Amino acid sequence: MNYKILVVENDDENSLNIKEFFEKKDYQIDISNNIEKAIYKIKNIKYSVILLETKLPDFHGFEILKFLNKSKINIPIIIISKCIDSKTKISAFRLGAVDYMVKPIDLDELEARINVKLKFW
């Protein structure tokens, strides 16, 4: 199966690294650098998983989690953030994130985490 991943990330270099890594492994990758574009894509495209940065230029990344909850859209969300604060991590999980990785991330580890989520989702 060809999985489709949405990367919501404010760092263009990080987005491109993720895109290149996963496209070599036959994943389809879309990138959004703000909430408005991300929500538009989520409404119109069926994603297997979303990789979500918490600090975005227009809103906090948690707004996507709130939107998904309100809309009853069920997509596994993996937070990718520089924030190591346990309160932020707990908030992410309470809002429905299934995983949380602190930057810098190891792409092989990210792939392993994604595969586990997709196996059981």
Side-chain angles (χ1 to χ4, degrees):
M1 180 173 190
N2 198 355
Y3 295 114
K4 186 169 273 236
I5 298 172
L6 175 60
V7 178
V8 185
E9 168 67 79
N10 62 5
D11 181 327
D12 292 339
E13 183 178 343
N14 198 39
S15 295
L16 291 175
N17 288 339
I18 292 170
K19 182 177 177 70
E20 289 173 4
F21 177 87
F22 282 100
E23 284 182 341
K24 288 178 187 172
K25 297 173 182 268
D26 293 326
Y27 291 82
Q28 293 180 351
I29 306 296
D30 285 344
I31 296 174
S32 179
N33 62 3
N34 67 54
I35 298 286
E36 185 179 340
K37 290 178 188 174
I39 288 176
Y40 176 82
K41 289 180 179 193
I42 293 166
K43 287 180 178 178
N44 292 289
I45 299 169
K46 183 173 171 62
Y47 289 101
S48 307
V49 69
I50 297 173
L51 306 178
L52 177 61
E53 165 63 66
T54 56
K55 300 204 189 294
L56 297 165
D58 53 349
F59 294 99
H60 195 283
F62 285 177
E63 293 306 313
I64 288 184
L65 290 166
K66 292 174 185 175
F67 164 77
L68 293 171
N69 289 331
K70 183 179 176 182
S71 304
K72 299 191 185 316
I73 297 172
N74 197 15
I75 304 170
I77 306 287
I78 299 175
I79 302 293
I80 299 174
S81 178
K82 290 181 181 177
C83 184
I84 61 171
D85 176 58
S86 63
K87 288 182 182 180
T88 301
K89 292 178 184 179
I90 291 167
S91 294
F93 288 122
R94 285 186 175 150
L95 287 169
V98 298
D99 207 344
Y100 194 110
M101 293 184 72
V102 176
K103 291 178 182 177
I105 59 168
D106 178 281
L107 292 174
D108 289 313
E109 180 183 351
L110 176 60
E111 181 185 21
R113 289 174 184 239
I114 287 172
N115 288 333
V116 168
K117 304 314 179 254
L118 295 175
K119 182 177 180 181
F120 295 104
W121 204 258

